Amino acid sequence: GESVGLHLPTLSVQEGDNSIINCAYSNSASDYFIWYKQESGKGPQFIIDIRSNMDKRQGQRVTVLLNKTVKHLSLQIAATQPGDSAVYFCAETSKAAGNKLTFGGGTRVLVKP
Amino acid sequence: DTEVTQTPKHLVMGMTNKKSLKCEQHMGHRAMYWYKQKAKKPPELMFVYSYEKLSINESVPSRFSPECPNSSLLNLHLHALQPEDSALYLCASSQERTGELFFGEGSRLTVL
């Protein structure tokens, strides 16, 4: 079936360095992608989204890149801070899926001081 | 702070109990969702309500019964649960069919 997955379950990064989290998706009809951050004991929090008519979108310290050719999504966090320590999920949906948002497996980011 | 409020934050229940989880949002969103999340796993969709009507049921067992009394409220009624139903139950809402989902903090359920 269709799926969204992540390659690295845990990413350790030095404070101040840049982080890159990757995500692969298999549904070629997916046209909307979201990155969520989930801190321990909390619900997922929206970070940034991108639609399929774009290949790059920037927010505050975060950039999402979308490569539709290879069905790959990435989240770049600039100057990673201790507060960035969390689990990050990519999620995708499509017009056909309606309200159904499918989450990838998650990557834990650990920021070392 | 999240604008989706879930109660209770923690719930412990026996397999014969009947309990309810509650969710409230005042953002005017017309789509509301229940997700189940096990430890170290991504959220899994259970139900979607759109304009107060159930639009998606992901083959959830009948021991979970959703209810949407109005556009701001979403309940999840629990009855005869199993220990494997222990999880974090997340409520979310969105303005559009494929828009950003806003999540609550979740209700952590333990079934003994």
Side-chain angles (χ1 to χ4, degrees):
Chain A
E2 302 291 4
S3 67
V4 179
L6 296 178
H7 300 295
L8 295 174
T10 303
L11 176 66
S12 292
V13 60
Q14 201 70 36
E15 182 178 355
D17 288 352
N18 297 336
S19 302
I20 299 177
I21 307 166
N22 296 303
C23 178
Y25 65 95
S26 58
N27 185 358
S28 56
S30 296
D31 59 9
Y32 181 55
F33 304 86
I34 308 176
W35 280 101
Y36 281 92
K37 171 187 180 183
Q38 188 172 24
E39 297 176 86
S40 181
K42 296 188 175 183
Q45 179 184 8
F46 173 90
I47 302 174
I48 192 167
D49 60 0
I50 189 167
R51 296 200 181 271
S52 59
N53 60 352
M54 303 174 69
D55 53 20
K56 181 179 179 179
R57 191 156 188 237
Q58 288 185 291
Q60 187 177 17
R61 283 201 306 119
V62 294
T63 300
V64 56
L65 299 177
L66 174 62
N67 185 330
K68 294 182 287 293
T69 303
V70 295
K71 299 191 188 69
H72 185 266
L73 190 69
S74 68
L75 178 70
Q76 300 177 2
I77 305 174
T80 312
Q81 301 171 358
D84 295 326
S85 292
V87 177
Y88 290 80
F89 294 101
C90 63
E92 60 87 17
T93 189
S94 63
K95 287 186 176 62
N99 299 87
K100 184 174 179 178
L101 192 67
T102 300
F103 283 81
T107 293
R108 179 175 298 282
V109 172
L110 298 175
V111 181
K112 297 178 288 186
Chain B
D1 289 337
T2 181
E3 296 182 71
V4 177
T5 304
Q6 291 188 241
T7 56
K9 291 193 187 309
H10 299 276
L11 177 63
V12 179
M13 60 186 292
M15 289 189 284
T16 59
N17 293 158
K18 282 185 182 181
K19 298 286 184 183
S20 296
L21 305 180
K22 298 185 182 300
C23 176
E24 188 169 1
Q25 59 88 12
H26 293 289
M27 294 179 281
H29 291 171
R30 301 314 298 267
M32 295 187 75
Y33 310 73
W34 280 115
Y35 279 82
K36 173 183 178 180
Q37 187 177 28
K38 301 285 274 186
K40 300 181 182 180
K41 295 290 186 182
E44 295 178 354
L45 183 65
M46 300 175 71
F47 303 104
V48 181
Y49 273 83
S50 181
Y51 290 86
E52 300 162 49
K53 287 184 169 39
L54 183 65
S55 62
I56 296 177
N57 177 343
E58 289 288 287
S59 301
V60 178
S62 59
R63 58 186 184 269
F64 295 92
S65 175
E67 178 197 18
C68 189
N70 60 56
S71 60
S72 299
L73 295 174
L74 186 66
N75 299 323
L76 186 62
H77 302 299
L78 315 170
H79 174 54
L81 295 193
Q82 304 297 310
E84 59 264 30
D85 296 322
S86 298
L88 181 68
Y89 288 84
L90 293 161
C91 175
S93 69
S94 70
Q95 189 169 32
E96 300 169 357
R97 284 177 62 82
T98 56
E100 173 192 347
L101 265 65
F102 291 79
F103 283 87
E105 300 288 346
S107 293
R108 186 160 299 282
L109 173 68
T110 302
V111 182
L112 301 176

